[in-house]
Amino acid sequence: MWGNLESFSDFFVTGDPLILGAQVSIALAMVAIVLVLTIFKKWGWLWREWLTTVDHKRVGIMYIIASIMMLFRGGVDALLMRVQLAMPDTNFLHAEHYNAIFTTHGVIMILFMAMPLMFGLFNIAVPLQIGARDVAYPFLNSLSFWLFFFGAMLFNVSFVIGGSPDAGWVAYPPLSELSHSPGVGQNFYIWGIQISGIGSLATGINFVVTILKMRAPGMKLMKMPMFTWSVLSSCLMILFAFPILTVTMALLFLDRFMGAHFFTLDAGGNPMMYINMIWMWGHPEVYIVVVPAFGIFSEVVATFSRKKLFGYTSMVFAMIGIAVMSFFTWAHHFFTMGSGADVNAFFAVSTMIIAIPTGVKIFNWLFTMFRGRIRFTTPMMWTIAFIPCFVVGGMTGVLLSVAPADFQFHNSYFLIAHFHQVLIGGVAFGYFAGLYYWWPKMFGFALNEHLGKWAFWLWNIGFYVCFMPQYFLGLDGMTRRLYTYDFDMGWGPLNMISTVGGFLMGAGFLFQVWQIAHSIRFFKRAKGDHWDGRTLEWSIPSPAPLYNFATEPVVNDVDDWWETKQKLAKGEKLAPKPALQPIHMPKNSSIPFIMSVFWFGAGFGFVWDWLWMAIPSMVGVAVCMIARSFTYDDDYYIPVDEIERTEKAAALKEASI
Amino acid sequence: MAKPASQHAGGHHDHEHGHHDLESLKTLGFWIFLMTDVIIFGCLFAVYVVLRNNTAGGPTAEELFKMPGVIAETFILLTSSFTSGLAVLMMHAGKKKALIGWLAVTAILGAAFITLEVTEFIDMVHEGATISTSGFLSGFFTLVGTHGLHVSIGLVWMVGLMIQLSKRGITPVTKRKVEVLSLYWHFLDVVWIFVLTVVYLMGVM
């Protein structure tokens, strides 16, 4: 029954003090969580209010909590690597452990940190920005979250059970094949990504339909808030890119599980096909995560410059242009593969072209700030810091896109510095700006700005201290994925500086945690329109009531809420609000959670080749789907008097601030 | 429900209308899902085409494929697409029994298709042509098998829908479900045409 398990240590990873420490702390944390929930009798609350919720605002909050936990894990991985590399000939991590850590760092930061943080912000902001009561498919939305969550847990469990994957974050074969990675780590990789990938695809469909079909009356496409445009662009890319990932992972699994020969070296397999396929997903993927960050910057820069966004139309075209172009650049990840000068020339040029719409955006943000009355709040500071950082990161990207030069840069620390600069400077800064910006709307209280500024400066100084030396290390010949180096290489000093920078960013993260804890402790209620905002989400109380909008808003302009406020200030009368009506709402459901648990079971079973576990779990998944199909009673109405009571209570709170 | 004041707002929906919106929203979502499924099949076709000559000393397409069975499968599946169309016509005519009847015929034809396909696969495996024989066969079994898996899922779905129809009759919700299922079924038919051409016909040519 236990198949490939011969001893205890095949199952639990043993023998490494670092991992033992992690195992003990995980066990203690789980005991603590269970104890707290039991002592405070919160199990029922957790189940009813959170685990079974289909409310987009709560799903969004769960995404964000999970992604911050993943940021911690990915960040610890990063610091372990920086400690190992700080000095030549270090023995802090051995080679296999180092391989596992750079693999999990990459996967976690992209797929289990950036993606869910992005989905969290989608969930929080999009329905409120377009004046909708929820997303198009609230049930599917909850299912997407739980698939992501259990996929991420399946992946994370690998470092204490069975051993982590260690073939790099995109797992090139033949290294990731059974012949070269016989352990279960690579199976965890495949199933963790596969399960959460289904959730991502469903989210893509959900938000495309939400944005196309559920906008408030009067909100034409070209009157949508820019963040909503960026989400549409990102979701369209998800629709085209994620199916490719699904197929790629499935084929790699068939190779490992059934002895197929898709990517093997023998019997007619073709490893390069994997590399093409993974980057056909992987390149759009980096645009999927960065375009919503552009949307956030656009909202923030307009709000805190008190000006309309400069060049709305060009911004929209730039976003859609990026979405299309992102599918034509994938081969620049392997110019050295040997596909010839013509192919390389095509992908070099397409990569350079995609820099153009990005440049357009940069000028739009700069001109929005020009002669604006800028307020230096934390979201705005992250936005301002993003611009130079992303320009430098983008320019080094253009350097890398020059195919002949890339033969020199390829797989060096120059590349590492480049993509960290666009992913931290673009994606992480953007999502931080978004988190600070929408935090009052999510939770109804503001974050402490003073601590936030400390975090900001630590992150920013830390970033440059960490990654600028890596460009030079790359030019000095240091390649990526080295677990140690000789003293004679002369890379020691720059690596030490880089490590210091890494720890400064770690300190920045601690300040953010402190900032959140401090702001909860010294609770300061936020107004509905906390930042003097421009879009519809600021026209309702913070946090938004369950039904979002008591009456459906009618939109006349871009930045409709700002225009409304201008009209009010001029003393113009607004059209009277329509009378309240009962609001149609979806009922909570336990099926998404239960179904995702079955998916976890199936994934775990396939990882260990335990069909006695995998097959019943898949049957469980099917039963859940059938149960959902037979559920007809899945909605209810919120009566008018309840809406009235909620609105009055919110108005009272607002008046007390 | 008092609501006279709301008429001028331009965004007024009454509840019946809201329900229709919800169903058409789900149909749109299913269309988009089908487009992502197109990409899944597109990838599998591309992989198959890359690998189709990599037989690694194992059997080739010409040696392996038995066209009579494949042509029978094709006609059965095409007919089932026609009968699922008849089912939708009966639904629009409001004939519940005929609707369930044609769905049952469609399901039986679908099951016959799957039976033939599984038999074909078993024969191949007995001849020593398995998924692990060569890159060509890995691509073949995965592409054709993924289509077969889709058809099998469609069968379970169809049976579930027939039960729901007999319990609830033709309502806006069940109507949307039948329409979506029939979309799915026609889609699988289209994919099969490509399988027939790219895999079987080009294989024995």
Side-chain angles (χ1 to χ4, degrees):
Chain A
M1 181 161 111
W2 305 104
N4 43 9
L5 284 187
E6 272 154 25
S7 70
F8 177 75
S9 65
D10 282 349
F11 191 71
F12 277 106
V13 179
T14 53
D16 189 305
L18 283 171
I19 294 180
L20 183 67
Q23 282 163 332
V24 171
S25 46
I26 289 172
L28 288 177
M30 281 167 76
V31 170
I33 291 170
V34 170
L35 275 180
V36 167
L37 286 171
T38 312
I39 290 170
F40 293 98
K41 298 204 172 76
K42 288 288 184 190
W43 284 106
W45 165 83
L46 183 70
W47 179 256
R48 281 189 307 274
E49 302 285 321
W50 293 94
L51 302 190
T52 61
T53 187
V54 294
D55 176 5
H56 70 97
K57 300 175 287 292
R58 296 204 163 175
V59 170
I61 289 172
M62 290 193 292
Y63 265 123
I64 287 169
I65 292 171
S67 65
I68 290 175
M69 277 161 33
M70 289 293 101
L71 176 62
F72 175 72
R73 155 103 210 255
V76 171
D77 281 350
L79 292 182
L80 290 175
M81 283 189 284
R82 282 319 317 167
V83 170
Q84 166 68 20
L85 291 177
M87 284 181 287
D89 306 308
T90 313
N91 279 319
F92 178 61
L93 302 173
H94 56 83
E96 287 80 16
H97 197 178
Y98 188 84
N99 291 349
I101 284 180
F102 72 64
T103 303
T104 54
H105 169 75
V107 175
I108 285 174
M109 284 302 200
I110 296 280
L111 286 163
F112 302 133
M113 189 285 282
M115 288 293 279
L117 189 47
M118 172 180 95
F119 288 148
L121 294 171
F122 285 12
N123 269 290
I124 298 293
V126 170
L128 299 182
Q129 281 201 325
I130 62 173
R133 296 256 158 76
D134 207 318
V135 293
Y137 317 116
F139 173 91
L140 187 67
N141 195 28
S142 159
L143 180 61
S144 290
F145 170 74
W146 288 112
L147 285 175
F148 144 70
F149 182 80
F150 282 103
M153 288 304 112
L154 185 62
F155 182 87
N156 272 276
V157 89
S158 68
F159 92 110
V160 287
I161 292 176
S164 295
D166 53 4
W169 87 274
V170 277
Y172 285 177
L175 183 57
S176 56
E177 290 282 1
L178 205 56
S179 52
H180 295 66
S181 297
V184 292
Q186 218 46 52
N187 298 344
F188 276 114
Y189 172 93
I190 291 170
W191 281 95
I193 291 179
Q194 195 70 296
I195 291 171
S196 68
I198 303 168
S200 304
L201 187 56
T203 305
I205 297 175
N206 213 337
F207 277 87
V208 167
V209 178
T210 305
I211 293 171
L212 291 182
K213 285 289 178 187
M214 296 182 69
R215 299 190 309 278
M219 186 182 276
K220 304 224 168 57
L221 279 175
M222 292 307 275
K223 285 183 183 169
M224 289 199 306
M226 195 48 68
F227 178 66
T228 303
W229 260 115
S230 72
V231 174
L232 183 62
S233 163
S234 167
C235 286
L236 289 173
M237 285 188 270
I238 289 178
L239 296 187
F240 284 95
F242 268 77
I244 309 177
L245 177 69
T246 305
V247 172
T248 314
M249 288 296 120
L251 299 187
L252 185 61
F253 174 69
L254 288 175
D255 271 8
R256 295 178 58 88
F257 186 72
M258 298 189 60
H261 291 287
F262 289 106
F263 311 124
T264 54
L265 288 170
D266 61 336
N270 187 342
M272 275 325 293
M273 188 164 63
Y274 178 95
I275 296 169
N276 273 291
M277 291 177 78
I278 196 86
W279 284 115
M280 280 185 212
W281 159 78
H283 198 80
E285 164 66 13
V286 297
Y287 287 96
I288 288 168
V289 291
V290 82
V291 166
F294 295 161
I296 293 167
F297 294 131
S298 305
E299 299 290 348
V300 168
V301 88
T303 302
F304 295 105
S305 307
R306 294 179 196 255
K307 273 177 70 188
K308 219 181 196 103
L309 182 68
F310 182 90
Y312 178 97
T313 317
S314 63
M315 196 68 113
V316 170
F317 276 93
M319 278 177 184
I320 299 299
I322 288 177
V324 175
M325 283 304 296
S326 70
F327 284 90
F328 297 95
T329 61
W330 80 87
H332 70 211
H333 293 268
F334 42 91
F335 280 139
T336 52
M337 159 180 154
S339 31
D342 295 345
V343 172
N344 281 1
F346 175 86
F347 285 99
V349 171
S350 65
T351 306
M352 293 172 201
I353 289 174
I354 207 168
I356 295 171
T358 315
V360 169
K361 293 158 164 311
I362 299 274
F363 283 109
N364 283 344
W365 293 314
L366 290 176
F367 285 127
T368 308
M369 283 190 263
F370 182 62
R371 291 191 173 162
R373 272 174 290 159
I374 297 178
R375 284 178 289 164
F376 287 95
T377 58
T378 38
M380 189 60 181
M381 288 173 74
W382 285 103
T383 304
I384 294 174
F386 145 81
I387 291 176
C389 195
F390 199 80
V391 167
V392 175
M395 290 309 290
T396 56
V398 175
L399 293 180
L400 282 159
S401 81
V402 180
D406 184 67
F407 277 66
Q408 194 62 35
F409 298 137
H410 187 79
N411 272 358
S412 73
Y413 259 79
F414 189 88
L415 167 79
I416 303 292
H418 155 70
F419 75 68
H420 280 92
Q421 189 152 19
V422 284
L423 285 173
I424 296 179
V427 178
F429 284 17
Y431 294 172
F432 287 157
L435 262 184
Y436 286 121
Y437 183 58
W438 282 303
W439 188 278
K441 188 50 64 188
M442 285 192 271
F443 295 105
F445 66 92
L447 285 175
N448 181 297
E449 287 277 303
H450 183 70
L451 288 170
K453 284 174 186 172
W454 271 94
F456 168 83
W457 286 110
L458 281 166
W459 264 100
N460 268 275
I461 296 168
F463 174 82
Y464 287 99
V465 175
C466 183
F467 289 104
M468 291 306 116
Q470 294 189 8
Y471 282 116
F472 296 98
L473 283 169
L475 296 175
D476 285 349
M478 181 165 165
T479 52
R480 71 194 298 197
R481 292 170 179 165
L482 283 180
Y483 89 102
T484 191
Y485 51 90
D486 274 343
F487 177 80
D488 332 343
M489 303 304 288
W491 299 332
L494 284 174
N495 267 307
M496 179 53 98
I497 295 171
S498 180
T499 300
V500 171
F503 276 90
L504 285 176
M505 285 191 278
F509 178 76
L510 292 183
F511 265 88
Q512 288 174 309
V513 174
W514 181 16
Q515 179 190 15
I516 294 171
H518 182 275
S519 311
I520 294 172
R521 170 75 182 76
F522 300 98
F523 188 89
K524 247 179 86 184
R525 195 177 295 286
K527 282 196 285 189
D529 190 4
H530 183 71
W531 303 112
D532 195 9
R534 309 177 71 83
T535 42
L536 284 179
E537 73 266 36
W538 305 108
S539 69
I540 52 173
S542 300
L546 179 62
Y547 46 78
N548 297 352
F549 296 88
T551 56
E552 205 175 25
V554 179
V555 174
N556 300 310
D557 299 286
V558 183
D559 295 346
D560 194 70
W561 173 238
W562 178 260
E563 301 298 333
T564 308
K565 285 189 288 188
Q566 300 306 104
K567 280 181 201 160
L568 281 175
K570 278 188 220 146
E572 283 179 40
K573 272 207 177 137
L574 301 176
K577 284 204 170 180
L580 293 176
Q581 288 183 31
I583 294 173
H584 188 210
M585 297 296 288
K587 270 189 189 163
N588 283 1
S589 172
S590 55
I591 293 176
F593 182 83
I594 296 169
M595 188 165 146
S596 304
V597 171
F598 278 124
W599 268 113
F600 182 90
F604 200 76
F606 281 122
V607 163
W608 291 95
D609 212 344
W610 294 343
L611 289 181
W612 56 266
M613 185 173 183
I615 291 172
S617 300
M618 288 308 291
V619 171
V621 170
V623 168
C624 284
M625 290 174 80
I626 293 169
R628 170 63 184 173
S629 179
F630 278 77
T631 308
Y632 274 70
D633 174 30
D634 60 353
D635 55 354
Y636 71 104
Y637 283 89
I638 302 179
V640 170
D641 56 333
E642 193 184 327
I643 304 171
E644 272 171 356
R645 256 182 286 130
T646 315
E647 290 293 303
K648 269 189 197 141
L652 272 179
K653 271 188 198 164
E654 182 89 16
S656 72
I657 296 167
Chain B
M1 273 172 261
K3 57 184 174 185
S6 68
Q7 298 299 342
H8 69 96
H12 173 72
H13 295 284
D14 63 26
H15 293 154
E16 276 311 301
H17 186 200
H19 210 65
H20 274 285
D21 273 359
L22 217 59
E23 299 310 318
S24 75
L25 217 58
K26 289 185 176 168
T27 312
L28 174 66
F30 194 79
W31 268 107
I32 298 177
F33 162 74
L34 279 186
M35 294 306 109
T36 65
D37 222 13
V38 167
I39 297 170
I40 288 188
F41 277 108
C43 290
L44 291 174
F45 273 108
V47 166
Y48 175 78
V49 170
V50 168
L51 298 178
R52 62 190 282 252
N53 294 320
N54 299 3
T55 49
T60 64
E62 278 160 329
E63 293 161 12
L64 219 50
F65 297 157
K66 298 190 181 70
M67 288 314 281
V70 175
I71 289 168
E73 281 174 38
T74 306
F75 277 102
I76 289 171
L77 199 65
L78 289 185
T79 315
S80 81
S81 210
F82 179 66
T83 55
S84 85
L86 289 180
V88 174
L89 283 180
M90 291 303 134
M91 177 180 78
H92 288 310
K95 294 177 185 160
K96 181 175 129 181
K97 276 195 179 150
L99 161 61
I100 296 176
W102 282 117
L103 280 181
V105 173
T106 311
I108 290 166
L109 288 170
F113 170 86
I114 290 296
T115 314
L116 279 176
E117 188 165 80
V118 170
T119 320
E120 183 200 354
F121 280 12
I122 290 173
D123 282 350
M124 284 188 184
V125 171
H126 279 304
E127 289 171 31
T130 68
I131 194 168
S132 56
T133 307
S134 65
F136 153 63
L137 282 168
S138 302
F140 167 80
F141 279 111
T142 306
L143 171 58
V144 182
T146 304
H147 178 268
L149 185 67
H150 274 74
V151 175
S152 312
I153 291 170
L155 290 179
V156 177
W157 185 0
M158 215 172 275
V159 172
L161 196 49
M162 277 156 29
I163 298 170
Q164 291 179 26
L165 281 167
S166 64
K167 272 188 3 201
R168 295 175 183 273
I170 302 172
T171 68
V173 178
T174 53
K175 213 170 179 171
R176 183 261 306 165
K177 289 188 175 190
V178 173
E179 271 165 5
V180 161
L181 176 64
S182 123
L183 266 180
Y184 179 76
W185 204 255
H186 292 312
F187 165 73
L188 292 182
D189 218 44
V190 174
V191 173
W192 180 258
I193 300 295
F194 282 91
V195 171
L196 177 74
T197 316
V198 174
V199 177
Y200 290 104
L201 295 182
M202 284 167 71
V204 296
M205 228 160 43

